[in-house]
Amino acid sequence: MELKYLNTFRVIVEEGSFSKAAERLNYTQSTITFQIGQLEQELSANLFEKIGRKMVLTKAGESLIPYVDEVLSSIDKLRNFEDDLAECQGDLRIGVGETLLCYHLPPILKEFHKKAPKARLFLRSMNCYDIRDELISGSLDIGIFYNCVGGFGTTLTTHPLGTYPLALVASQEIKTKYPDFVTANQQIPIPFIINEPTCVFRQIFEQYLKEKSIMLDHTIELWSIPTIKNLVENNVGISYLPRFSVQKELDNGSLTEIPTELTHTTITAVCGHHKNKWISPLMQLFIDLCSCDSKF
């Protein structure tokens, strides 16, 4: 049985179609079809069936997934077996939430590169829900994210890194004009400046506004936390962020906190990986650095 057939099967499952799998693997669609045909012939079972215009897994195909995952995981271990423990060579794919990447990870990355100069780190700033999903699918080795996204059950192994309060922040001028975010049934004519709709702290604050029946003027969506803070400092609107990401500005007075009834709301950061993922020396080094770092 060809290992590449098993890999092709797993990619089809992850991508959801033969055509997307062909694009990811740089194969023609006929090659994908041939490989699955060979695999089905060897197993004497149909793995996919056509329903409408889509190819979907059969019961046999669904049952095959854990066996394929086990084989591919073992191959991954063999490929990494020759890694030099002292030098920690190899590649590492890591997804990190934007605020954690900006304000917690730089000293860890500095120490990581010092201890593993021959390693190649593929780092991505990502939404926490996407990190969770790509850890589950195996596209990432490690994720640094907020565990309130949920939805991973026992599929992921996570290591707590820290629990952080959140803060509603504004410039002093905006706070002077609109200091009350506690009284219900208000319309406040300023924008909310924040990440995309699946940002976990955006969801927390928008739920609070909904429960209070507080209406803001509109929402400005940005990906960059430094840009969000810059606009808030310049009287454009308000934002709701982890306190550690705005602590410097709160200390120097360029931002100030507006009181809410979310006084005990916190989010917890974790370092996570798939429970079946082999922990290479390189992965272990990164996990240890995150767990031991005093800033987390």
Side-chain angles (χ1 to χ4, degrees):
M1 184 178 295
E2 293 278 353
L3 285 172
K4 63 183 178 182
Y5 298 168
L6 298 180
N7 184 61
T8 296
F9 170 79
R10 195 65 183 86
V11 172
I12 293 171
V13 173
E14 291 175 6
E15 295 294 335
S17 72
F18 281 37
S19 59
K20 289 182 179 179
E23 183 178 347
R24 174 171 158 183
L25 293 169
N26 199 26
Y27 289 161
T28 63
Q29 192 157 340
S30 61
T31 298
I32 296 286
T33 302
F34 171 78
Q35 291 186 2
I36 294 302
Q38 292 294 107
L39 184 58
E40 289 179 327
Q41 184 176 334
E42 290 190 48
L43 295 173
S44 300
N46 291 326
L47 303 176
F48 295 92
E49 59 184 347
K50 193 169 185 178
I51 297 180
R53 295 184 178 182
K54 294 184 177 181
M55 296 295 289
V56 298
L57 282 168
T58 62
K59 290 294 184 183
E62 292 176 356
S63 299
L64 182 62
I65 292 174
Y67 294 99
V68 171
D69 286 346
E70 185 175 350
V71 171
L72 295 180
S73 176
S74 297
I75 295 301
D76 189 40
K77 292 177 185 179
L78 286 172
R79 286 172 178 164
N80 287 279
F81 186 73
E82 295 181 353
D83 278 359
D84 186 332
L85 179 59
E87 295 184 357
C88 287
Q89 300 179 72
D91 297 345
L92 200 59
R93 302 161 300 170
I94 302 176
V96 190
E98 172 72 4
T99 49
L100 296 167
L101 178 59
C102 285
Y103 301 100
H104 278 328
L105 220 57
I108 293 172
L109 296 177
K110 181 179 179 180
E111 188 66 18
F112 176 82
H113 284 296
K114 180 180 177 181
K115 291 182 178 295
K118 294 186 179 181
R120 296 198 306 170
L121 190 63
F122 295 89
L123 193 67
R124 294 166 59 193
S125 174
M126 299 174 64
N127 173 272
C128 292
Y129 289 94
D130 293 334
I131 293 172
R132 175 201 64 191
D133 293 344
E134 293 203 24
L135 286 173
I136 292 173
S137 71
S139 302
L140 291 176
D141 297 315
I142 293 175
I144 309 294
F145 61 107
Y146 297 115
N147 71 347
C148 52
V149 298
F152 48 82
T154 59
T155 306
L156 302 183
T157 297
T158 58
H159 310 273
L161 300 179
T163 297
Y164 312 107
L166 298 153
L168 179 63
V169 294
S171 66
Q172 186 59 58
E173 181 177 331
I174 292 293
K175 180 180 179 180
T176 299
K177 290 182 179 179
Y178 310 106
D180 183 6
F181 276 77
V182 175
T183 302
N185 301 306
Q186 296 188 73
Q187 287 191 337
I188 303 176
I190 53 173
F192 182 33
I193 310 173
I194 198 65
N195 280 351
E196 75 284 351
T198 51
C199 165
V200 291
F201 28 93
R202 170 176 175 171
Q203 292 176 335
I204 291 170
F205 189 65
E206 287 183 333
Q207 181 61 32
Y208 173 77
L209 294 177
K210 181 179 179 180
E211 291 172 358
K212 283 284 188 178
S213 296
I214 296 175
M215 299 289 293
L216 299 182
D217 189 74
H218 64 286
T219 299
I220 299 174
E221 294 182 6
L222 298 170
W223 181 253
S224 167
I225 299 297
T227 302
I228 290 171
K229 293 197 299 181
N230 185 48
L231 293 182
V232 175
E233 287 181 66
N234 285 279
N235 306 320
V236 176
I238 60 167
S239 193
Y240 188 68
L241 297 166
R243 183 181 293 276
F244 67 76
S245 68
V246 291
Q247 193 61 57
K248 179 180 177 181
E249 290 77 15
L250 291 173
D251 291 342
N252 66 28
S254 59
L255 289 178
T256 186
E257 184 173 0
I258 299 178
T260 69
E261 291 185 347
L262 291 168
T263 51
H264 300 295
T265 303
T266 59
I267 51 176
T268 299
V270 296
C271 175
H273 56 83
H274 197 286
K275 67 174 183 179
N276 295 329
K277 181 75 176 177
W278 178 60
I279 308 300
S280 67
L282 201 58
M283 280 185 66
Q284 191 63 60
L285 171 62
F286 192 89
I287 292 169
D288 289 345
L289 288 174
C290 288
S291 300
C292 295
D293 187 77
S294 60
K295 291 186 179 296
F296 268 118

